[in-house]
């Protein structure tokens, strides 16, 4: 048996979009099941996202703390953002997010992992990059607004973040997946064995 997710699409007999928001929408599809019956599925349509696990020379990860209204919590996260432009190169988007949220640039970029955040109810796909060889970005800092106005920034040792994840103290999806994936890579074939930053991404095809 090959452990690999594969593309597949069951027949849809009807589809509508009852809600369209600023960045996402809700779609309702009537999907034909294997026994021929039809079931209705509601899900969020999402443009996709990128996230950046930025690792410095002291094995510390750049993290930020931000209020997230849907869960009513201030979460420790890694820099991340939406793929605002259809077909946008995810590496370019990741570099932009690292600059805007942390005022940092990186010389070495790899794909750490690709995930669907909540495939049972949302089609959001996220590519998490590993960024190394960090330095302060040039020029003025990006002007933040809304929830980012009181955002906290820190560099935390990787081991400390792993302990926080396993203790149930850290919950952000990209942070959890990122730090555990990085730990696995370090204990496995090493960081140089990770996919290149421009590796294909079938979930969100992009122009090179």
């Amino acid at each position: 048996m090959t452990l690999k997710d594969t593309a597949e699409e069951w027949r849809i007999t009807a589809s509508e979009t009852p809600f369209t928001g600023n960045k996402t929408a809700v779609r309702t599809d009537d999907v034909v099941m294997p026994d021929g019956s039809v079931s209705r599925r509601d899900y969020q349509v999402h443009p996709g996202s990128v996230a950046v696990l930025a690792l410095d020379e002291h094995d510390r990860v750049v993290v930020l703390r931000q209020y997230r209204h849907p869960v009513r919590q201030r979460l420790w996260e890694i820099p991340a953002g939406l793929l605002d432009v259809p077909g946008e190169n995810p590496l370019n988007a990741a570099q932009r997010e690292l600059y805007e949220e942390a005022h940092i640039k990186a010389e070495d970029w790899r794909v750490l992992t690709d995930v669907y955040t909540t495939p049972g109810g949302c089609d959001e796909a996220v590519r998490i990059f590993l960024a190394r060889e960090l330095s302060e970005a040039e020029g003025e800092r990006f002007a933040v607004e809304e929830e980012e106005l009181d955002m906290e920034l820190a560099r935390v040792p990787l081991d400390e973040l792993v302990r926080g994840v396993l203790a149930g103290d850290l919950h952000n999806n990209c942070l959890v997946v990122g730090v555990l994936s990085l730990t696995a890579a370090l204990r496995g074939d090493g960081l140089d064995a990770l996919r290149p930053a421009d590796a294909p991404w079938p979930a969100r095809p992009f122009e090179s």
Side-chain angles (χ1 to χ4, degrees), residues 70-84:
V71 295
R72 309 299 199 271
Q73 290 194 11
R74 290 173 64 91
L75 302 179
W76 284 104
E77 307 179 350
I78 57 177
L82 297 175
L83 289 168
D84 294 313

Side-chain angles (χ1 to χ4, degrees), residues 7 15 24-25 32 37 39-40 56 71 97-98 104 118 121-122 128 130 133 137 145 153 157 183 185 188-189:
S15 182
T24 66
V32 179
S37 63
S39 295
R40 176 156 289 192
D56 70 13
V71 295
E97 292 299 332
L98 185 60
I104 288 173
T118 50
C122 179
I128 304 177
L130 171 66
E133 299 180 24
E145 58 185 10
L153 196 65
T183 300
D189 295 331

Side-chain angles (χ1 to χ4, degrees), residues 59-130:
D59 289 333
R60 298 177 304 177
V61 177
V62 176
V63 293
L64 49 93
R65 190 169 180 245
Q66 183 170 302
Y67 175 68
R68 293 301 188 183
H69 186 70
V71 295
R72 309 299 199 271
Q73 290 194 11
R74 290 173 64 91
L75 302 179
W76 284 104
E77 307 179 350
I78 57 177
L82 297 175
L83 289 168
D84 294 313
V85 181
E88 181 179 17
N89 188 305
L91 176 59
N92 295 342
Q95 292 170 332
R96 180 185 67 239
E97 292 299 332
L98 185 60
Y99 158 72
E100 291 181 356
E101 295 192 347
H103 200 66
I104 288 173
K105 63 180 181 180
E107 299 301 323
D108 187 279
W109 290 82
R110 310 280 173 138
V111 174
L112 188 54
T113 190
D114 299 323
V115 295
Y116 291 114
T117 54
T118 50
C122 179
D123 71 350
E124 181 184 14
V126 181
R127 168 157 281 189
I128 304 177
F129 289 91
L130 171 66

Side-chain angles (χ1 to χ4, degrees), residues 47-60:
S49 307
V50 292
V52 184
L53 196 152
L55 185 70
D56 70 13
E57 69 275 17
H58 302 296
D59 289 333
R60 298 177 304 177

Side-chain angles (χ1 to χ4, degrees), residues 155-177:
R155 296 194 183 198
V156 179
L158 176 62
D159 290 345
E160 185 175 336
L161 291 174
V162 172
R163 286 194 294 271
V165 169
L166 298 180
D169 296 329
L170 302 173
H171 307 89
N172 174 262
N173 183 289
C174 291
L175 183 147
V176 171
V177 173

